[in-house]
Amino acid sequence: SGSSSVSLSPKCFVTGEGCNMEENPGLHQPSSRFSLDFDGPTRGGGRLTQSSAVTVVDVLDSDPMSNSNAFVSVKNCAQFNIKQDLQTFYKEIVLLERMSKEGIVKGRVRVAAFLPYFVKELDKTGDFSYDDGQAVALYDYSIVLKRIDEDEAARM
């Protein structure tokens, strides 16, 4: 029987605060759960700083593609937005490819959003039907990652 912790590690911000090994020694440990804080629209209108708890339900594939500089990862996640009391599910497909030895990586991310399984039970009119295996929304992103040194990071 292995032991595990239910607590989250300290927050790592996009500014870099909380992201070094001294401040956050467990940052790069394997994890199946994380918290995401963001400013965004609400179902009731307006904007609000929100927090979502995300759990990786399963990783379907995560490995380098044979004979190439490419890597693909497919995972299913459950997300709970605390302030909106909203549970959602999504599949994330990430394809990354190293373009040069200088540290340039290009990639694509596709996120497929699914309604909660219990939505059918909540529908009292009988007019609402959907295939819970079909995504209700798709989001596509292109990304470019570039390795930077500490001096370059400090100037950001």
Side-chain angles (χ1 to χ4, degrees):
S1 114
S3 65
S4 65
S5 172
V6 293
S7 64
L8 295 173
S9 64
K11 290 183 179 182
C12 172
F13 296 91
V14 294
T15 60
E17 180 185 347
C19 301
N20 65 43
M21 294 305 289
E22 291 80 33
E23 294 174 299
N24 200 343
L27 180 65
H28 298 289
Q29 297 297 317
S31 175
S32 63
R33 183 171 167 249
F34 62 92
S35 177
L36 177 67
D37 295 341
F38 62 96
D39 178 52
T42 66
R43 292 186 292 173
R47 297 183 71 80
L48 182 66
T49 299
Q50 304 173 59
S51 182
S52 285
V54 179
T55 302
V56 178
V57 178
D58 62 7
V59 177
L60 303 175
D61 192 13
S62 183
D63 59 4
M65 298 173 78
S66 61
N67 299 324
S68 76
N69 288 321
F71 174 85
V72 66
S73 174
V74 180
K75 62 185 173 187
N76 287 316
C77 297
Q79 176 175 308
F80 181 68
N81 185 304
I82 297 156
K83 290 191 178 177
Q84 295 193 55
D85 193 26
L86 178 64
Q87 175 88 45
T88 58
F89 301 91
Y90 64 91
K91 179 181 285 189
E92 179 185 86
I93 304 166
V94 178
L95 173 64
L96 301 173
E97 185 173 4
R98 183 176 28 212
M99 305 307 292
S100 68
K101 297 286 186 195
E102 292 77 39
I104 302 291
V105 174
K106 290 186 177 181
R108 294 188 311 264
V109 178
R110 171 165 275 187
V111 177
F114 298 87
L115 290 174
Y117 301 114
F118 56 82
V119 167
K120 285 183 183 179
E121 296 170 16
L122 296 176
D123 178 36
K124 305 294 184 208
T125 66
D127 295 337
F128 184 73
S129 66
Y130 77 100
D131 177 355
D132 55 13
Q134 294 289 321
V136 295
L138 292 174
Y139 304 94
D140 289 314
Y141 306 93
S142 296
I143 56 176
V144 177
L145 305 172
K146 177 184 177 242
R147 181 183 303 250
I148 60 174
D149 59 29
E150 287 185 32
D151 292 335
E152 203 172 350
R155 290 191 302 267
M156 298 181 115

